[in-house]
Amino acid sequence: MMFLMNITVLLVFFITFFIIAQIKKNNGLADMAWGLGFVVVAITSMIYTQNYTVLGITLTTLVTIWGLRLFFYIGIRNWNKPEDYRYVAMRKRWEPHVVIKAFIYVFMLQMSFLYIIAAPIQMTHFIANEVSGLGFIPYVIGLILWIIGFIFEALGDAQLKAFKSDPKNKGKLMTKGLWSYTRHPNYFGESAMWFGIWIISLASLNFLSIVGVIGPLFITYLLLYVSGVPLLENKYKDREDFKAYAKRTSKFFPLPPKN
Protein backbone atom coordinates (compact mmCIF):
# COMPACT_ATOMS: atom_id res chain seq x y z
CA MET A 1 0.00 0.00 0.00
CA MET A 2 1.22 3.48 -0.87
CA PHE A 3 1.10 4.85 2.69
CA LEU A 4 3.27 2.02 4.02
CA MET A 5 5.65 2.38 1.08
CA ASN A 6 6.10 6.07 1.85
CA ILE A 7 6.92 5.34 5.50
CA THR A 8 9.52 2.78 4.45
CA VAL A 9 11.18 5.06 1.90
CA LEU A 10 11.18 7.99 4.35
CA LEU A 11 12.77 5.83 7.05
CA VAL A 12 15.63 4.87 4.74
CA PHE A 13 15.96 8.49 3.61
CA PHE A 14 16.19 9.95 7.13
CA ILE A 15 18.49 7.22 8.44
CA THR A 16 20.84 8.06 5.57
CA PHE A 17 20.83 11.74 6.51
CA PHE A 18 21.29 10.81 10.18
CA ILE A 19 24.44 8.82 9.36
CA ILE A 20 25.82 11.70 7.28
CA ALA A 21 25.06 14.14 10.11
CA GLN A 22 26.94 12.01 12.63
CA ILE A 23 29.95 11.75 10.32
CA LYS A 24 30.00 15.54 9.93
CA LYS A 25 29.06 16.07 13.60
CA ASN A 26 26.27 18.41 12.53
CA ASN A 27 22.68 17.49 13.34
CA GLY A 28 21.61 20.70 11.61
CA LEU A 29 21.82 18.72 8.36
CA ALA A 30 18.36 17.45 9.29
CA ASP A 31 17.13 20.80 7.96
CA MET A 32 18.46 19.80 4.53
CA ALA A 33 16.47 16.58 4.66
CA TRP A 34 13.25 18.47 5.37
CA GLY A 35 12.45 19.91 1.93
CA LEU A 36 13.92 17.00 0.01
CA GLY A 37 11.85 14.55 2.06
CA PHE A 38 8.62 15.98 0.63
CA VAL A 39 9.98 15.49 -2.87
CA VAL A 40 10.68 11.86 -2.00
CA VAL A 41 7.09 11.38 -0.76
CA ALA A 42 5.54 13.07 -3.80
CA ILE A 43 7.57 11.15 -6.38
CA THR A 44 7.26 7.82 -4.54
CA SER A 45 3.48 8.28 -4.28
CA MET A 46 3.11 9.16 -7.96
CA ILE A 47 5.22 6.24 -9.18
CA TYR A 48 3.61 3.72 -6.82
CA THR A 49 0.05 4.69 -7.79
CA GLN A 50 0.91 5.40 -11.44
CA ASN A 51 -1.05 8.62 -10.98
CA TYR A 52 0.04 10.61 -14.02
CA THR A 53 -3.08 12.76 -14.06
CA VAL A 54 -2.92 16.54 -14.43
CA LEU A 55 -3.64 16.87 -10.72
CA GLY A 56 -1.02 14.32 -9.67
CA ILE A 57 1.68 15.80 -11.91
CA THR A 58 0.83 19.36 -10.83
CA LEU A 59 1.18 18.65 -7.11
CA THR A 60 4.32 16.57 -7.57
CA THR A 61 5.89 19.33 -9.68
CA LEU A 62 5.02 22.10 -7.20
CA VAL A 63 6.34 20.11 -4.24
CA THR A 64 9.50 19.26 -6.18
CA ILE A 65 10.15 22.92 -7.06
CA TRP A 66 9.63 23.99 -3.44
CA GLY A 67 11.55 21.08 -1.92
CA LEU A 68 14.61 21.33 -4.19
CA ARG A 69 14.84 25.09 -3.74
CA LEU A 70 14.76 24.69 0.04
CA PHE A 71 17.22 21.78 -0.06
CA PHE A 72 19.82 23.68 -2.05
CA TYR A 73 19.26 26.95 -0.15
CA ILE A 74 19.80 25.30 3.23
CA GLY A 75 22.44 22.93 1.88
CA ILE A 76 24.66 25.69 0.49
CA ARG A 77 24.30 27.57 3.78
CA ASN A 78 24.83 24.66 6.19
CA TRP A 79 26.93 21.95 4.55
CA ASN A 80 30.38 23.15 5.62
CA LYS A 81 29.27 25.55 8.35
CA PRO A 82 29.36 24.97 12.13
CA GLU A 83 26.31 23.37 13.71
CA ASP A 84 23.39 25.78 14.13
CA TYR A 85 22.96 27.27 17.62
CA ARG A 86 19.68 25.38 18.11
CA TYR A 87 21.35 22.02 17.63
CA VAL A 88 24.37 23.05 19.69
CA ALA A 89 22.00 23.76 22.59
CA MET A 90 20.33 20.38 22.09
CA ARG A 91 23.73 18.65 22.03
CA LYS A 92 24.62 20.18 25.40
CA ARG A 93 21.28 19.15 26.94
CA TRP A 94 21.48 15.61 25.60
CA GLU A 95 25.00 14.67 26.75
CA PRO A 96 26.10 11.90 27.07
CA HIS A 97 23.32 10.39 24.90
CA VAL A 98 23.55 12.83 22.01
CA VAL A 99 23.49 10.31 19.16
CA ILE A 100 20.43 8.32 20.19
CA LYS A 101 18.48 11.41 21.23
CA ALA A 102 19.34 13.19 17.98
CA PHE A 103 18.10 10.15 16.07
CA ILE A 104 14.78 10.10 17.93
CA TYR A 105 14.05 13.76 18.66
CA VAL A 106 15.48 15.31 15.48
CA PHE A 107 15.47 12.87 12.58
CA MET A 108 12.61 10.51 13.49
CA LEU A 109 10.46 13.36 14.78
CA GLN A 110 11.00 15.36 11.60
CA MET A 111 10.16 12.28 9.56
CA SER A 112 6.88 11.87 11.46
CA PHE A 113 5.97 15.54 11.06
CA LEU A 114 6.81 15.42 7.36
CA TYR A 115 4.59 12.40 6.83
CA ILE A 116 1.63 14.21 8.42
CA ILE A 117 2.18 17.48 6.55
CA ALA A 118 2.40 15.58 3.26
CA ALA A 119 -1.20 14.37 3.75
CA PRO A 120 -2.68 16.35 0.81
CA ILE A 121 0.01 15.00 -1.52
CA GLN A 122 -0.57 11.42 -0.45
CA MET A 123 -4.36 11.67 -0.57
CA THR A 124 -4.23 13.16 -4.08
CA HIS A 125 -2.19 10.25 -5.41
CA PHE A 126 -4.31 7.75 -3.49
CA ILE A 127 -7.52 9.14 -5.03
CA ALA A 128 -5.95 9.62 -8.48
CA ASN A 129 -8.78 11.63 -10.07
CA GLU A 130 -8.50 13.91 -13.07
CA VAL A 131 -9.43 17.60 -12.84
CA SER A 132 -12.75 18.35 -14.50
CA GLY A 133 -15.74 20.69 -14.29
CA LEU A 134 -15.98 22.47 -10.92
CA GLY A 135 -12.63 20.97 -9.94
CA PHE A 136 -10.86 23.70 -11.92
CA ILE A 137 -12.04 26.31 -9.38
CA PRO A 138 -9.99 25.00 -6.41
CA TYR A 139 -7.24 24.05 -8.86
CA VAL A 140 -6.76 27.66 -9.99
CA ILE A 141 -7.31 29.21 -6.53
CA GLY A 142 -4.82 26.83 -4.94
CA LEU A 143 -2.26 27.41 -7.67
CA ILE A 144 -2.47 31.20 -7.20
CA LEU A 145 -2.08 30.83 -3.42
CA TRP A 146 0.90 28.51 -3.90
CA ILE A 147 2.60 31.02 -6.21
CA ILE A 148 2.07 33.82 -3.67
CA GLY A 149 3.52 31.63 -0.93
CA PHE A 150 6.50 30.61 -3.05
CA ILE A 151 7.28 34.26 -3.83
CA PHE A 152 7.17 35.17 -0.14
CA GLU A 153 9.42 32.29 0.88
CA ALA A 154 11.94 32.43 -1.97
CA LEU A 155 12.11 36.23 -2.25
CA GLY A 156 12.17 36.63 1.54
CA ASP A 157 15.11 34.23 1.78
CA ALA A 158 16.90 35.99 -1.10
CA GLN A 159 16.42 39.43 0.46
CA LEU A 160 17.71 38.21 3.83
CA LYS A 161 20.73 36.52 2.23
CA ALA A 162 21.63 39.70 0.32
CA PHE A 163 21.21 41.76 3.50
CA LYS A 164 23.47 39.49 5.55
CA SER A 165 26.12 39.36 2.83
CA ASP A 166 26.74 43.11 3.19
CA PRO A 167 29.33 43.68 5.97
CA LYS A 168 27.72 47.05 6.75
CA ASN A 169 24.62 45.23 8.00
CA LYS A 170 26.42 43.07 10.57
CA GLY A 171 24.45 43.04 13.81
CA LYS A 172 21.46 44.79 12.22
CA LEU A 173 17.93 43.52 11.66
CA MET A 174 16.46 42.94 8.22
CA THR A 175 13.39 45.21 8.08
CA LYS A 176 13.07 46.07 4.40
CA GLY A 177 11.39 44.49 1.37
CA LEU A 178 8.95 41.73 2.31
CA TRP A 179 10.34 41.93 5.84
CA SER A 180 8.58 45.29 6.26
CA TYR A 181 5.18 43.61 5.84
CA THR A 182 5.74 40.55 8.02
CA ARG A 183 8.51 39.64 10.43
CA HIS A 184 8.59 36.15 8.94
CA PRO A 185 7.84 36.26 5.19
CA ASN A 186 9.50 32.90 4.58
CA TYR A 187 7.39 31.16 7.22
CA PHE A 188 4.21 32.83 6.00
CA GLY A 189 5.12 31.73 2.49
CA GLU A 190 5.59 28.13 3.55
CA SER A 191 2.20 28.10 5.26
CA ALA A 192 0.51 29.68 2.24
CA MET A 193 2.09 27.14 -0.12
CA TRP A 194 0.80 24.21 1.90
CA PHE A 195 -2.69 25.65 2.01
CA GLY A 196 -2.37 26.11 -1.74
CA ILE A 197 -1.35 22.47 -2.14
CA TRP A 198 -4.36 21.33 -0.13
CA ILE A 199 -6.81 23.56 -2.05
CA ILE A 200 -5.42 22.21 -5.34
CA SER A 201 -5.97 18.67 -4.03
CA LEU A 202 -9.68 19.49 -3.60
CA ALA A 203 -9.88 19.61 -7.39
CA SER A 204 -10.27 15.83 -7.25
CA LEU A 205 -13.83 16.51 -6.02
CA ASN A 206 -13.46 13.53 -3.71
CA PHE A 207 -14.61 13.81 -0.10
CA LEU A 208 -11.43 12.08 1.13
CA SER A 209 -9.31 15.01 -0.06
CA ILE A 210 -10.70 17.11 2.80
CA VAL A 211 -8.60 14.96 5.17
CA GLY A 212 -5.51 16.56 3.65
CA VAL A 213 -6.22 19.83 5.51
CA ILE A 214 -4.31 18.32 8.43
CA GLY A 215 -1.12 19.07 6.46
CA PRO A 216 -1.35 22.89 6.19
CA LEU A 217 -2.94 23.19 9.64
CA PHE A 218 -0.13 21.19 11.24
CA ILE A 219 2.74 23.02 9.48
CA THR A 220 1.17 26.40 10.32
CA TYR A 221 0.86 25.36 13.98
CA LEU A 222 4.52 24.27 14.03
CA LEU A 223 5.69 27.49 12.40
CA LEU A 224 3.65 29.76 14.69
CA TYR A 225 3.97 28.01 18.02
CA VAL A 226 6.82 25.47 18.00
CA SER A 227 9.89 25.54 15.76
CA GLY A 228 9.69 28.61 13.55
CA VAL A 229 8.46 31.98 14.75
CA PRO A 230 8.93 31.42 18.55
CA LEU A 231 12.63 30.51 18.25
CA LEU A 232 13.51 33.66 16.32
CA GLU A 233 11.22 35.93 18.34
CA ASN A 234 12.79 34.71 21.61
CA LYS A 235 16.27 35.17 20.19
CA TYR A 236 15.74 38.89 19.54
CA LYS A 237 13.02 39.79 22.07
CA ASP A 238 15.34 41.79 24.37
CA ARG A 239 16.80 43.96 21.62
CA GLU A 240 15.44 47.50 21.44
CA ASP A 241 15.60 47.59 17.64
CA PHE A 242 13.54 44.39 17.49
CA LYS A 243 10.95 45.79 19.90
CA ALA A 244 10.53 48.82 17.64
CA TYR A 245 10.39 46.57 14.57
CA ALA A 246 7.77 44.34 16.21
CA LYS A 247 5.54 47.34 17.01
CA ARG A 248 5.26 48.42 13.39
CA THR A 249 5.45 45.07 11.57
CA SER A 250 2.94 42.21 11.50
CA LYS A 251 4.14 39.03 13.17
CA PHE A 252 3.03 36.57 10.49
CA PHE A 253 0.31 37.59 8.01
CA PRO A 254 1.57 40.37 5.68
CA LEU A 255 0.09 43.78 6.48
CA PRO A 256 1.10 47.38 5.68
CA PRO A 257 3.65 48.57 8.28
CA LYS A 258 2.35 50.82 11.06
CA ASN A 259 3.67 54.33 11.30
Side-chain angles (χ1 to χ4, degrees), residues 178-218:
L178 294 179
W179 298 80
S180 65
Y181 297 99
T182 164
R183 304 203 293 272
H184 304 279
N186 45 356
Y187 292 149
F188 164 76
E190 185 162 348
S191 173
M193 276 189 287
W194 281 108
F195 272 104
I197 290 289
W198 172 64
I199 293 172
I200 292 172
S201 75
L202 297 178
S204 67
L205 298 181
N206 187 300
F207 182 77
L208 286 176
S209 62
I210 296 175
V211 176
V213 73
I214 189 175
L217 288 177
F218 190 49

Side-chain angles (χ1 to χ4, degrees), residues 4 17 30 48 89 92 106 113 116 146 156 165 171 179 192 196 204 229 243 252 257-258:
L4 182 59
F17 262 88
Y48 185 84
K92 291 177 181 178
V106 176
F113 288 172
I116 295 170
W146 186 90
S165 65
W179 298 80
S204 67
V229 172
K243 292 178 183 178
F252 191 72
K258 301 175 183 175

